[in-house]
Amino acid sequence: MPQHHPPKTPAETAAPTTRVDSAIRAITDYIHGEGLKVGDRLPSEAAFAESLGVSRTVVREAFKSLSAMRIIEMRAGRRAQVCGFDGTVIALSLTHALRTEQINPPQMWDARRAVEMRTVALAAMRRTDAEATALVDLVARMRDSIDDPARMTEQDIAFHVAIAQASRNPLFPVLIASLTSAIRETNPMVWRHRRDEDTRREVVEAHAAIAQAIADGDPEAACAALAAHFDLASRALVTAGFN
């Protein structure tokens, strides 16, 4: 008679954990357990290899993976150190998703709108005089770059990240930098459909209205100006064929 075996548990059917995976967890546990901060150095690869009972090759691969995830930073001739929090990995992942059509530009803009409605309100309440001046300066640079889509795009990104920084929540600049990085993909195509100078200046003036509301310390006006800006951008995306 055929033997009946009980079904395997999820743990039994899961892919086996590799030594590199285990080393990655051990290294991150060490960072957190020792209370290491940004810039603090880690023990050497040799030290980790000895304490974990694995080869230096395993630890080296774990270090490379952690470096790619921006958890540690590796430099030639120096011990690895704890990396600062940034949006590099998120931005790469979002750009990949956009290029492989797992998400589309309107979906990205919708996510940005949801997050930035909060950042612009906080910026209006918390910005410093220097930050308000910096936003106005960025708008002036955008005016000077009206016929240069590449420069305009970089200043556009800088403008929205600066607003997020003025919110005083360190998570927002990372999220906004990650979400806005995708406009490097779409802006050149959208900008081609803004053929006349008046249409292009309309975009700059939308940013000017946001900057002014933040400088005035008026969160309601800042949210209204941002909403108008995103409405303008959404229509441009449709015109450019992004549905």
Side-chain angles (χ1 to χ4, degrees):
M1 294 181 63
Q3 294 183 340
H4 296 282
H5 300 284
K8 292 185 177 181
T9 65
E12 291 172 324
T13 57
T17 301
T18 69
R19 291 182 178 181
V20 173
D21 292 334
S22 297
I24 289 171
R25 281 201 298 272
I27 295 165
T28 54
D29 286 347
Y30 176 89
I31 292 170
H32 304 150
E34 294 295 318
L36 300 187
K37 305 300 181 186
V38 174
D40 288 345
R41 294 184 181 181
L42 277 67
S44 66
E45 292 178 2
F48 272 118
E50 183 177 356
S51 65
L52 299 177
V54 297
S55 69
R56 287 188 62 175
T57 300
V58 169
V59 175
R60 189 172 300 117
E61 290 302 313
F63 270 34
K64 288 179 180 178
S65 295
L66 289 167
S67 178
M69 291 185 280
R70 302 293 294 159
I71 292 173
I72 66 173
E73 184 176 6
M74 298 172 64
R75 295 181 182 176
R78 297 177 61 182
R79 291 223 309 267
Q81 62 186 41
V82 178
C83 192
F85 180 47
D86 66 33
T88 304
V89 175
I90 303 172
L92 285 171
S93 181
L94 289 174
T95 300
H96 168 72
L98 192 64
R99 288 177 176 175
T100 54
E101 299 182 354
Q102 298 177 69
I103 56 176
N104 60 42
Q107 289 168 335
M108 290 284 289
W109 279 86
D110 191 38
R112 276 189 60 195
R113 183 174 189 145
V115 176
E116 292 195 51
M117 290 299 285
R118 180 59 176 163
T119 63
V120 78
L122 291 175
M125 293 185 284
R126 299 174 178 177
R127 59 88 181 140
T128 65
D129 289 344
E131 287 168 332
T133 299
L135 287 171
V136 172
D137 288 345
L138 279 166
V139 173
R141 291 180 205 167
M142 292 175 77
R143 285 195 181 98
D144 292 339
S145 306
I146 201 163
D147 294 319
D148 187 337
R151 283 181 60 202
M152 174 68 79
T153 296
E154 294 309 314
Q155 285 149 8
D156 192 350
I157 291 172
F159 181 86
H160 290 276
V161 172
I163 291 172
Q165 290 169 338
S167 75
R168 297 291 174 273
N169 182 330
L171 182 57
F172 282 140
V174 172
L175 290 175
I176 297 305
S178 302
L179 289 166
T180 56
S181 66
I183 72 174
R184 291 189 179 96
E185 305 288 315
T186 58
N187 257 24
M189 289 172 278
V190 171
W191 209 247
R192 283 199 295 271
H193 289 269
R194 292 173 171 144
R195 295 183 177 90
D196 61 276
E197 187 169 323
D198 288 344
T199 304
R200 294 183 175 188
R201 289 203 178 278
E202 188 179 21
V203 176
V204 177
E205 296 315 312
H207 287 82
I210 297 168
Q212 188 60 57
I214 292 172
D216 292 342
D218 188 338
E220 289 187 7
C223 288
L226 183 76
H229 163 49
F230 272 98
D231 288 343
L232 186 65
S234 295
R235 289 196 296 270
L237 284 171
V238 172
T239 301
F242 296 108
N243 296 313

